[in-house]
Amino acid sequence: MVFQGASALNLDAKGRMSVPAKHRDALLVQGEGRVTLTKHPDGCLLLFPRPEWELFRARVAQLPMDAHWWRRIFLGNATELDLDSAGRILVSPELRTAAGIEKEVILLGMGSHLELWDATAYAAKEQAAIAQGMPEALKQFNF
């Protein structure tokens, strides 16, 4: 299953996020509703269905010693979660703080996983990327 698309969402007062039905169904099929949430150095959180997390974790664990801080960022901050009966996940205060998330978020499908962004931060980063112009790798890409 491939995750794609953007969803504008709100966290509730306890820090829970309702996973949209299109993603919730895929998470239930792919990982029985078991997910892993961790930090990303770009300022977002990564949300993996458990089987995809296992593959990602194995790749990160094999990074060379000069990447030990990246192992700490990805693996040391990983939180295993289960979707609750209402299809929600609890985003811990530590991870919310790390990503600057308060209430309004954007959930982006990124193929094998999802990214969770503070809505304002995502909009600013997207605009900055557009303002920089298209990277060389995309200049020969046909749309």
Side-chain angles (χ1 to χ4, degrees), residues 19-143:
V19 177
K22 65 182 178 179
H23 299 314
R24 183 175 53 241
D25 294 344
L27 291 170
L28 289 169
V29 168
Q30 205 169 356
E32 299 175 351
R34 299 171 67 213
V35 300
T36 300
L37 191 62
T38 193
K39 279 186 192 180
H40 189 284
D42 281 347
C44 67
L45 301 176
L46 300 174
L47 178 64
F48 290 91
R50 192 63 47 88
E52 287 297 330
W53 169 252
E54 296 299 331
L55 296 171
F56 181 79
R57 182 177 65 180
R59 289 188 359 239
V60 170
Q62 292 185 13
L63 290 172
M65 280 304 295
D66 63 351
H68 69 277
W69 271 105
W70 293 101
R71 278 195 302 274
R72 287 183 179 118
I73 290 167
F74 292 122
L75 304 181
N77 290 287
T79 302
E80 295 181 351
L81 303 164
D82 291 314
L83 291 173
D84 69 12
S85 60
R88 299 173 300 194
I89 59 166
L90 176 63
V91 182
S92 71
E94 296 84 6
L95 290 177
R96 289 194 311 264
T97 298
I101 292 172
E102 292 186 24
K103 182 172 177 139
E104 295 178 1
V105 297
I106 299 291
L107 186 65
L108 290 177
M110 299 298 294
S112 64
H113 64 282
L114 298 143
E115 290 182 351
L116 183 62
W117 287 87
D118 171 76
T120 303
Y122 178 78
K125 287 185 181 251
E126 182 180 78
Q127 286 303 311
I130 291 169
Q132 286 182 342
M134 202 171 286
E136 197 61 40
L138 286 178
K139 289 187 178 174
Q140 301 301 318
F141 190 80
N142 289 323
F143 291 97

